Amino acid sequence: MVDPASCPFCAIITGGDTSARLVYRNDKITAFLPLEPATRGHTLVVPNRHVAELTDLTAAESRDLGEAVHQTARAARSALSPDGLNVIQSTGAAATQTVPHVHFHVVPRWHNDRMTLRWPTGAAENGSAQDQTLIAIQSVFPDEADAVSAEDRRQHLSFIQAVITRMSQASSSSKSWLLPIVTLSYGYAITHKSALVGVIGCLAVLVFGVLDANYLKQERAFRKLYDEVASGRPIPTFSMNPALASPAGTRVNYWPDKTDVRSWAVAPVYLPLILAGLGIVVWLLCR
């Protein structure tokens, strides 16, 4: 197992190799030109996570790589107008893999270029042996029944959308409940010269603000889960756990983050109410 710290591809991904010629990079995939391209436009497409072999990729990483390889091939064909294209992936030393980080070669091809690929002539197995090989592979191949149907995915999305709607409605309800409470508490504090009631009103605003920010946080988490399910990523069927749509090791808690508190749906609503309450309390105490 190669340490990612010594992997030349990881150095390119993290920006440690400033000489690399990047084609593009996002949070999941990086594409760049190799030091010794086999042909003009030869590009490597790699996952940002250090994965040594193709079979160690997650289903989501496989899809991301497939999309990136397709986009790279289309870009190469559009920019260079080659006569053809090779997409090559090698896993293991026996298959000529030299860098233990999964990578796909997108190789534009021209007639009479210097690239040489030759398949051996003749079959490696006779018909009987091929039948045995077929049975062996089919026995471990994923069962189509295990795949999530389009109807299941639509139903899953419907369940998640229902939760998102409830979170949005709960946020609206919290504001609706707060307004009469604030009006009564602040009004009572002013008319009866009670700073204590003003403080209670401020505390009510704070409590409702935290609840509303939490509703917003949960809504965002389920929206992310919705996007993950819609994209076909490996989320268990009908799972409603937002943590499955977060990076590995992430813990989804119920305490609002700064982003939630600063949201236009929270800070501009609750901050003025708290400041108004504090102003009333200070005015009453200074009288």
Side-chain angles (χ1 to χ4, degrees):
M1 184 69 178
V2 173
D3 183 357
S6 62
C7 173
F9 289 175
C10 287
I12 293 174
I13 293 166
T14 58
D17 184 354
T18 57
S19 64
R21 294 180 172 87
L22 292 180
V23 176
Y24 69 87
R25 174 169 56 199
N26 59 29
D27 60 334
K28 298 174 183 177
I29 302 295
T30 298
F32 55 92
L33 304 185
L35 290 177
E36 297 180 353
T39 66
R40 182 184 178 215
H42 177 188
T43 304
L44 298 182
V45 183
V46 306
N48 288 351
R49 184 173 75 91
H50 182 78
V51 184
E53 298 187 353
L54 180 69
T55 51
D56 293 331
L57 291 169
T58 66
E61 288 170 333
S62 298
R63 282 188 287 271
D64 292 335
L65 274 169
E67 292 174 2
V69 167
H70 180 248
Q71 291 171 354
T72 302
R74 287 176 61 90
R77 180 176 287 280
S78 176
L80 305 177
S81 300
D83 298 324
L85 282 165
N86 281 129
V87 175
I88 305 169
Q89 203 290 316
S90 303
T91 294
T96 70
Q97 181 181 13
T98 56
V99 179
H101 186 128
V102 173
H103 53 283
F104 284 78
H105 298 262
V106 177
V107 188
R109 298 297 307 275
W110 287 267
H111 295 299
N112 301 318
D113 61 29
R114 67 177 196 161
M115 184 79 176
T116 302
L117 287 176
R118 292 183 179 178
W119 292 92
T121 58
E125 296 180 319
N126 60 32
S128 177
Q130 288 184 47
D131 290 338
Q132 294 300 314
T133 300
L134 175 64
I135 293 172
I137 295 175
Q138 286 181 333
S139 67
V140 296
F141 205 82
D143 189 347
E144 185 64 26
D146 295 333
V148 178
S149 69
E151 181 58 33
D152 282 345
R153 180 170 288 111
R154 282 193 292 270
Q155 189 63 50
H156 195 175
L157 293 173
S158 178
F159 290 158
I160 298 173
Q161 183 61 52
V163 175
I164 294 172
T165 301
R166 286 200 298 271
M167 292 296 104
S168 178
Q169 291 173 342
S171 174
S172 178
S173 295
S174 68
K175 294 180 177 69
S176 298
W177 278 98
L178 176 62
L179 288 177
I181 293 175
V182 169
T183 302
L184 289 173
S185 60
Y186 287 179
Y188 186 94
I190 293 172
T191 57
H192 290 77
K193 310 299 189 294
S194 175
L196 178 60
V197 175
V199 172
I200 293 174
C202 291
L203 290 177
V205 174
L206 181 61
V207 170
F208 276 88
V210 171
L211 287 174
D212 201 353
N214 179 60
Y215 293 141
L216 176 62
K217 178 175 183 175
Q218 298 311 309
E219 181 182 339
R220 284 177 171 170
F222 277 98
R223 286 186 184 279
K224 187 173 183 181
L225 180 63
Y226 185 100
D227 292 340
E228 293 294 301
V229 173
S231 68
R233 303 198 189 284
I235 301 295
T237 308
F238 302 126
S239 172
M240 303 296 283
N241 182 4
L244 295 174
S246 303
T250 300
R251 295 181 61 186
V252 176
N253 59 68
Y254 295 94
W255 190 254
D257 299 322
K258 291 182 179 179
T259 303
D260 307 311
V261 175
R262 294 173 179 173
S263 168
W264 63 268
V266 176
V269 176
Y270 294 92
L271 183 58
L273 292 177
I274 290 179
L275 293 177
L278 292 176
I280 292 171
V281 171
V282 171
W283 175 70
L284 290 173
L285 292 176
C286 294
R287 291 182 73 251

